[in-house]
Amino acid sequence: MTKDLVGHYIGGRSVVEGDRRGPVFNPALGEEVRQVAFADGDTVGAAVDAAEAAQAGWGEESLARRQRVMFAYRDLLQRNSDRIVAAVGEEHGKVAGDAAGEFARGVEVVEFACSLPQVLKGQFSESVSRGVDAYTLRFPLGVVAGITPFNFPAMVPLWMAPIALAAGNGFVLKPSEKVPSAAVLLAELFVEAGGPPGLFNVVQGDQEAVAEILGHPKIKAVSFVGSTAVARSIYERGTQAGKRVQALGGAKNHMVVLPDADPELVSDSAVAAAFGSSGERCMAISVMVIVGEQGEKHLDAIAAKMEGVRVGSALDPRAEMGPLITAAHRERVGSLVAEAEAKGANILVDGRKHAMAGGPGFFFGPTLIDGVTVEMEAYRQEIFGPVLLVMRARDLGEAIELVNRNPYANGAAIFTESGGAARRFVRTIDSGMVGVNVPIPVPVAYHSFGGFKNSLFGDLHVHGEEGFRFYTRAKAVTQRWGGEGSAATLHFVTNN
Ligand code: NAD
């Protein structure tokens, strides 16, 4: 039987070109459900040409018209949420409530993008010198591209596309080949909302498509989200090719628990943030650092709550946690748990033994490991699975030092009732996003998302005002009208 094929979306229509293909799995079944076309240089070139042609008119459109399209896009997305949530659930495996949550956070970025006339306002300084005014205007870059990971098939593309488009650019999206369908829906709905066909294109594929994007001279900027090794390489290759690049990488997020923290909030937060989406979130809590003498109260409560986590497929309305993305990834998570165990860690809850872990679906049960040390690979690497590591620190200073020594720096959270301790943490922790009694501090759309160190290569974070700055360039104009103070001089011009 011929399997469905997910194609590209170029110039406002579905396109299938070339003969390279990849499999798309339903991870809950452990079965290939369709295939996806892989773009080559010609396909990427066609997408860039379409984006360039559409951008020429769009970049000249009034702010009002662009804003209306963004409002219409927001409404259409809402009306089609079920289709997108279903595509995410089938190809990624996350449960329906979680998929709906990521979609809602993505739509928030579209809502923020609707404020484009406000955000794109220039600056004006009157009379910087006699008869001279100065002002700054922001212009779109032209054609920009986004390369996205498997773990947020809708939200991460929506971190990029709405801002890039609202700022007046054409956009080429290369989603993860593991979850190709949601991206096509997002692009189709933009055209249905009145966006010019060709402005928002999707090219499916693997490294070859990425190389074509990085090598294409008409692509002026690249936003990337994925693992650290790839993010670093995209940043280096993209900037060498003269492009503006923001490349968000992996993470190892710590949750520091002080003795005065609310125990109920601690255990609820740890379970939700470590095991939601099977730990396949760049803001998942991976390490809990217990500060001082607190006995085993948190671990007992967390282990008890883990028993109640219902593991199942996206089609099970009561399921809270789905499978991992591939069989190979399940193997990798299992081997990191085995390595920690072999090095003396204490496996308090073992996801390898979960009832669902032996089936054809790529399930792995929630796992809790105490006695973890910084030498263990489970600590050194991003696990990206439902595994919570537990470490100890004598005091807050030691906990902060531990977190700050880690090469990743996406998010970090503190749980405490002390304002002074929280303030010290916020000021000294070396992470891009910080939570105070909030385990997953993903910024709202009108702030910007991004980490430090190995979690982000580049300068500007995504969405919020930094997103608009990333996708525009500023022109500073100095003007004189009316002949006032016009005497020319060979000296370097000063203001008076
Ligand atoms: P990945 O790096 O394997 O893939 C990301 C994208 O890059 C995909 O589109 C993929 O096709 C492409 N790609 C993969 N290997 C490549 C290569 N060698 N050369 C060029 N392109 C390549 O990441 P993933 O497994 O899809 O996603 C999970 C990772 O993404 C985790 O590390 C997670 O922490 C990270 N992530 C980070 C953030 C963040 O905001 N910092 C958000 C979500 C996910």
Side-chain angles (χ1 to χ4, degrees):
M1 197 180 82
T2 324
K3 291 209 156 69
D4 287 349
L5 178 65
V6 187
H8 318 288
Y9 186 76
I10 298 173
R13 58 189 190 88
S14 178
V15 174
V16 176
E17 289 176 340
D19 47 17
R20 291 178 65 237
R21 306 270 184 271
V24 181
F25 281 80
N26 177 328
L29 302 176
E31 272 175 20
E32 184 180 325
V33 286
R34 59 184 62 91
Q35 295 216 318
V36 57
F38 279 4
D40 57 14
D42 288 345
T43 308
V44 171
V48 174
D49 288 347
E52 186 186 34
Q55 194 274 333
W58 179 250
E60 294 296 318
E61 279 290 3
S62 68
L63 298 175
R65 158 115 174 95
R66 278 197 241 154
Q67 187 185 37
R68 276 178 210 132
V69 172
M70 296 313 295
F71 272 119
Y73 186 40
R74 186 258 180 208
D75 285 349
L76 265 183
L77 285 170
Q78 291 288 27
R79 274 191 268 141
N80 286 275
S81 65
D82 289 353
R83 292 167 72 201
I84 293 167
V85 165
V88 170
E90 186 186 21
E91 294 179 353
H92 175 283
K94 64 178 73 176
V95 299
D98 195 30
E102 80 151 273
F103 179 64
R105 294 305 299 264
V107 172
E108 282 179 13
V109 182
V110 183
E111 288 166 352
F112 169 65
C114 291
S115 63
L116 67 107
Q118 169 67 16
V119 185
L120 289 173
K121 267 202 286 202
Q123 294 175 315
F124 195 97
S125 301
E126 197 248 342
S127 292
V128 294
S129 190
R130 268 179 71 89
V132 177
D133 307 320
Y135 58 96
T136 307
L137 302 170
R138 299 204 78 90
F139 292 90
L141 299 179
V143 179
V144 299
I147 301 165
T148 53
F150 79 81
N151 68 318
F152 284 110
M155 184 182 77
V156 171
L158 287 174
W159 281 355
M160 305 169 181
I163 308 287
L165 298 165
N169 299 285
F171 190 68
V172 177
L173 170 65
K174 205 297 288 171
S176 165
E177 62 275 38
K178 299 186 179 90
V179 291
S181 296
V184 175
L185 286 170
L186 296 178
E188 282 173 358
L189 291 170
F190 183 72
V191 174
E192 222 177 289
L199 197 72
F200 183 171
N201 305 282
V202 178
V203 292
Q204 309 285 1
D206 57 359
Q207 302 183 29
E208 186 175 328
V210 172
E212 294 296 338
I213 287 171
L214 294 176
H216 201 300
K218 287 185 180 162
I219 294 179
K220 300 298 177 204
V222 175
S223 299
F224 171 88
V225 177
S227 55
T228 288
V230 183
R232 185 184 279 116
S233 144
I234 300 277
Y235 182 76
E236 286 168 359
R237 289 152 68 197
T239 50
Q240 258 170 31
K243 299 182 196 318
R244 193 178 282 193
V245 182
Q246 54 181 187
L248 282 69
K252 194 82 183 171
N253 307 310
H254 296 66
M255 163 178 177
V256 172
V257 180
L258 295 193
D260 65 353
D262 172 349
E264 196 63 21
L265 182 64
V266 166
S267 54
D268 279 348
S269 301
V271 170
F275 308 121
S277 201
S278 285
E280 288 176 329
R281 289 178 182 148
C282 60
M283 290 293 275
I285 289 295
S286 176
V287 187
M288 183 162 89
V289 185
I290 299 178
V291 176
E293 295 300 326
Q294 300 195 45
E296 301 306 304
K297 66 178 182 207
H298 295 307
L299 299 188
D300 292 344
I302 289 169
K305 286 178 183 171
M306 287 168 70
E307 295 293 316
V309 172
R310 193 179 158 94
V311 179
S313 92
L315 296 177
D316 174 354
R318 290 191 300 147
E320 296 167 293
M321 186 186 122
L324 291 172
I325 188 71
T326 59
H329 185 48
R330 179 168 64 175
E331 280 294 303
R332 182 180 164 273
V333 174
S335 69
L336 287 168
V337 173
E339 184 258 2
E341 188 175 31
K343 287 196 172 148
N346 189 7
I347 315 289
L348 300 179
V349 181
D350 194 340
R352 295 170 296 182
K353 299 183 180 146
H354 192 278
M356 299 284 287
F362 310 138
F363 291 98
F364 194 98
T367 301
L368 183 63
I369 311 183
D370 196 8
V372 172
T373 63
V374 292
E375 292 78 30
M376 293 176 184
E377 287 304 315
Y379 181 73
R380 293 160 61 90
Q381 294 186 29
E382 178 185 43
I383 302 179
F384 225 51
V387 180
L388 179 61
L389 311 179
V390 182
M391 300 174 85
R392 317 284 164 146
R394 275 194 297 265
D395 53 30
L396 177 58
E398 198 175 285
I400 290 172
E401 224 172 87
L402 172 75
V403 179
N404 286 352
R405 271 203 312 272
N406 196 285
Y408 294 105
N410 223 31
I414 186 167
F415 281 71
T416 181
E417 292 298 302
S418 158
R423 186 168 186 275
R424 178 177 167 200
F425 186 82
V426 168
R427 288 176 58 80
T428 56
I429 208 72
D430 196 9
S431 297
M433 292 166 284
V434 184
V436 176
N437 296 317
V438 172
I440 302 193
V442 174
V444 288
Y446 37 98
H447 287 254
S448 298
F449 182 109
F452 299 158
K453 302 198 293 194
N454 281 356
S455 296
L456 184 134
F457 303 90
D459 308 299
L460 293 171
H461 293 189
V462 292
H463 64 64
E465 290 197 16
E466 290 197 30
F468 272 99
R469 282 176 57 201
F470 182 77
Y471 294 122
T472 53
R473 55 183 187 161
K475 204 175 268 184
V477 182
T478 306
Q479 71 176 14
R480 173 184 285 126
W481 288 108
E484 215 185 331
S486 63
T489 165
L490 292 184
H491 297 157
F492 196 69
V493 180
T494 56
N495 294 315
N496 46 48

